Amino acid sequence: MFFKRILILPTLLIAFLTPYSIQVQAQYHAIKPDSVIDFRQDYQHYFKNSILMPDSNFIYDHYSEDELVIDPAFLPVIFTGQILPETYEFTSPVQLYKEPAYIPEQEPVQLFEDKIYRQELDRQAYLYYTLHAPTSVKYSRSTMPKDIPVAKEIKVNPFKNIFHVENEVDFANSGKPSISLPKRRYYTASYETSIQFSQNYISENWYKGGNSNLNLIWINKFKHEYEKDKIKISNSIEYKLSTYTSSVDTLRPYRIGDDAFSIISSYGYRAFSKWYYSLSLDFRTQFFNNYYENKTTKSSAFLSPMGLNLGLGMEYKLNKELPPVRYRKVDLSINIAPFSYNMKYLLDDDVDKKRHGFKPDEDFIKNIGSKIIATMQLNFNRNISWNSKFYYFSNYEKVEMEFENTLNLALSRFFSTRIYFDVRFDDSVIKADPSDSYFQYYEILSFGFNYRF
């Protein structure tokens, strides 16, 4: 009798705990007790959010963005010892407080109903299988290993089969690698050329009168500097030619306003800071014949006059950036030669000698005195620059001085406007009229093409 009671109790407990199994068995045909797969294939149409691939042990889950997962129905059944559902309660819930009457009752909203239904259906399948085919359950959670195996990282070299060394390199005889550095440049060179022009038109019946003219200016500058250790050598060559039309001159259609060729060189040896002991040379002349207006008398000609000056003294060099404005910098050179030799020569005797300080019977003049040559280039910014040159020589009786200034206003990379002003003083010139001044002026405002590198 005692054993019968023991057998009746589990039967009642199983019948009480598996109401869903009776419903599923009544709803579908009898399931073979040796397979959970058959049961899963019968209710697979209940899965609204998953697709069971035929003849496959995998499921693509829509909720996990097509992540490949293994269907647990195809895995071996493991007895977990869990018979009662996790949500089963032995006692009815007790309402500890009463909801206010003014709050309307709402039906409880259960999230993830499909997931919950699927989990419950899986649980029912597992319960049905363990009850009807317990001999087929070969594994139990209690006998499973407790340690979770950790997968080892397998390092694969993707370039193993791409690169193949046919000949092994022998480093036994290899020495220290040689270091190749670029050679330092001790010199800098620059060249600038520009063609400027200005035009003035006046009609013949203009009430104030006047003459039309076209002025063309061609300027070339070349500069080369060498500096190594304490030695610094500077060379600059400059040539300027200015021509203009003149309707007043009836003998020739054009006239030459400025024809100047100059070479300035200096050899310096550093004394201290930015000062150098210097030996300088200054050569000046012109190339073309120039005549007085409506006359055949030459005012200047090739190598007439020609000036050469040698000086020994000190030179100051400064090349400095001037922040905070970008491209603002100054390049300054001042050469002071207390001991200077100056000479002038006329190759053409037809040139007006008085204009250049020569006596009627001489064509060669030499003097010893002092000389100062100063050049400066000041860049206010990238488009505006000021070039200045100052020359002074005195033999302690006469003074020859010239001060040139050029303001360059760049409109673009290749076009600019120039304002040129030159003032000269020479008291060695023999005046044609006592009222004439020793000061001479030359000014040009022009626009044109400019290129430098």
Side-chain angles (χ1 to χ4, degrees):
M1 181 63 69
F2 175 75
F3 291 102
K4 292 182 177 179
R5 292 180 181 179
I6 293 176
L7 295 175
I8 292 173
L9 289 175
T11 305
L12 294 176
L13 182 61
I14 294 173
F16 174 75
L17 296 178
T18 56
Y20 294 100
S21 300
I22 299 174
Q23 296 177 8
V24 172
Q25 186 176 6
Q27 205 168 21
Y28 299 101
H29 61 83
I31 299 177
K32 298 178 181 180
D34 58 347
S35 174
V36 179
I37 301 175
D38 296 335
F39 181 79
R40 290 280 294 193
Q41 290 177 349
D42 286 336
Y43 68 82
Q44 63 177 337
H45 61 275
Y46 282 91
F47 300 153
K48 299 179 180 180
N49 297 301
S50 64
I51 301 174
L52 182 62
M53 304 300 294
D55 299 331
S56 175
N57 298 343
F58 303 98
I59 287 182
Y60 291 92
D61 194 348
H62 292 182
Y63 288 108
S64 58
E65 298 181 357
D66 294 341
E67 182 181 358
L68 185 63
V69 297
I70 299 176
D71 190 345
F74 293 92
L75 296 176
V77 177
I78 301 175
F79 180 71
T80 61
Q82 183 179 358
I83 302 300
L84 296 176
E86 296 179 356
T87 58
Y88 186 81
E89 296 180 357
F90 291 93
T91 60
S92 60
V94 180
Q95 186 173 2
L96 300 179
Y97 63 92
K98 189 175 182 180
E99 295 181 356
Y102 57 85
I103 297 179
E105 295 184 357
Q106 298 181 358
E107 295 182 0
V109 179
Q110 189 173 10
L111 299 177
F112 308 107
E113 293 183 358
D114 295 338
K115 288 288 185 181
I116 296 173
Y117 178 76
R118 179 176 176 178
Q119 292 176 1
E120 178 61 24
L121 210 54
D122 290 343
R123 195 185 72 85
Q124 290 293 332
Y126 160 78
L127 185 60
Y128 184 84
Y129 187 84
T130 56
L131 291 177
H132 291 77
T135 57
S136 300
V137 181
K138 300 179 181 180
Y139 303 97
S140 176
R141 180 180 293 180
S142 60
T143 60
M144 298 295 289
K146 306 299 181 183
D147 297 334
I148 301 176
V150 179
K152 295 182 179 180
E153 181 181 0
I154 301 176
K155 296 182 179 180
V156 179
N157 185 6
F159 303 101
K160 182 177 180 180
N161 298 324
I162 297 179
F163 302 102
H164 178 66
V165 179
E166 295 182 354
N167 299 324
E168 295 293 337
V169 181
D170 185 12
F171 295 98
N173 299 325
S174 62
K176 185 178 180 180
S178 59
I179 301 176
S180 178
L181 297 177
K183 294 182 179 180
R184 180 180 175 182
R185 296 178 57 183
Y186 296 97
Y187 66 91
T188 58
S190 63
Y191 174 74
E192 179 181 359
T193 181
S194 63
I195 299 177
Q196 307 281 323
F197 70 93
S198 61
Q199 188 263 346
N200 178 28
Y201 175 77
I202 300 176
S203 63
E204 296 181 357
N205 59 347
W206 183 250
Y207 72 106
K208 289 186 178 181
N211 299 313
S212 303
N213 62 77
L214 176 64
N215 194 346
L216 181 64
I217 307 170
W218 184 32
I219 302 175
N220 293 272
K221 295 181 180 180
F222 174 77
K223 188 175 182 179
H224 185 278
E225 290 187 349
Y226 174 86
E227 183 175 6
K228 182 179 181 181
D229 298 332
K230 293 186 176 182
I231 298 176
K232 188 178 183 66
I233 303 175
S234 300
N235 298 283
S236 64
I237 301 175
E238 182 176 355
Y239 178 66
K240 294 186 296 183
L241 177 64
S242 172
T243 61
Y244 64 94
T245 60
S246 177
S247 59
V248 179
D249 193 348
T250 58
L251 298 179
R252 54 196 62 87
Y254 66 92
R255 298 193 61 195
I256 296 177
D258 189 13
D259 181 16
F261 176 79
S262 64
I263 299 176
I264 300 177
S265 299
S266 65
Y267 176 87
Y269 184 84
R270 187 189 301 274
F272 57 90
S273 185
K274 300 182 182 297
W275 287 91
Y276 295 81
Y277 300 109
S278 176
L279 176 64
S280 60
L281 179 144
D282 185 3
F283 174 80
R284 299 168 183 264
T285 187
Q286 60 281 319
F287 291 114
F288 299 99
N289 297 334
N290 198 9
Y291 299 87
Y292 289 109
E293 190 176 278
N294 292 320
K295 294 181 180 180
T296 57
T297 305
K298 296 180 182 179
S299 59
S300 61
F302 177 66
L303 296 179
S304 301
M306 177 197 71
L308 179 65
N309 186 284
L310 294 174
L312 181 63
M314 299 284 291
E315 185 177 12
Y316 176 78
K317 290 280 189 178
L318 176 65
N319 193 336
K320 185 179 180 181
E321 301 284 342
L322 301 176
V325 180
R326 192 179 182 185
Y327 300 108
R328 178 185 289 180
K329 65 178 181 179
V330 59
D331 188 0
L332 177 64
S333 174
I334 302 176
N335 191 304
I336 303 174
F339 308 100
S340 179
Y341 172 79
N342 187 63
M343 60 162 287
K344 286 184 179 181
Y345 175 74
L346 284 176
L347 181 64
D348 193 341
D349 291 335
D350 295 335
V351 175
D352 185 6
K353 297 183 178 182
K354 295 181 179 180
R355 185 181 184 91
H356 303 286
F358 289 86
K359 294 179 181 180
D361 57 344
E362 65 179 2
D363 55 8
F364 182 81
I365 300 176
K366 59 181 180 179
N367 294 301
I368 296 178
S370 300
K371 178 186 69 173
I372 298 176
I373 297 178
T375 60
M376 183 191 69
Q377 180 176 347
L378 176 61
N379 295 334
F380 296 97
N381 51 42
R382 191 174 185 178
N383 300 320
I384 303 176
S385 62
W386 174 31
N387 294 335
S388 179
K389 182 188 294 183
F390 177 78
Y391 174 82
Y392 173 87
F393 174 79
S394 175
N395 62 352
Y396 310 113
E397 293 181 0
K398 302 292 183 179
V399 174
E400 182 182 351
M401 185 270 295
E402 187 172 0
F403 187 36
E404 300 180 20
N405 295 274
T406 303
L407 182 63
N408 188 12
L409 308 174
L411 304 178
S412 65
R413 181 181 177 183
F414 300 108
F415 293 94
S416 65
T417 297
R418 288 177 178 262
I419 301 175
Y420 177 79
F421 180 74
D422 187 2
V423 57
R424 177 183 173 86
F425 177 86
D426 189 0
D427 57 359
S428 64
V429 176
I430 300 175
K431 297 182 180 179
D433 190 342
S435 60
D436 293 342
S437 175
Y438 290 115
F439 282 95
Q440 307 169 24
Y441 305 94
Y442 187 73
E443 183 269 335
I444 295 177
L445 172 63
S446 60
F447 166 82
F449 173 81
N450 183 79
Y451 180 74
R452 67 175 61 182
F453 64 89

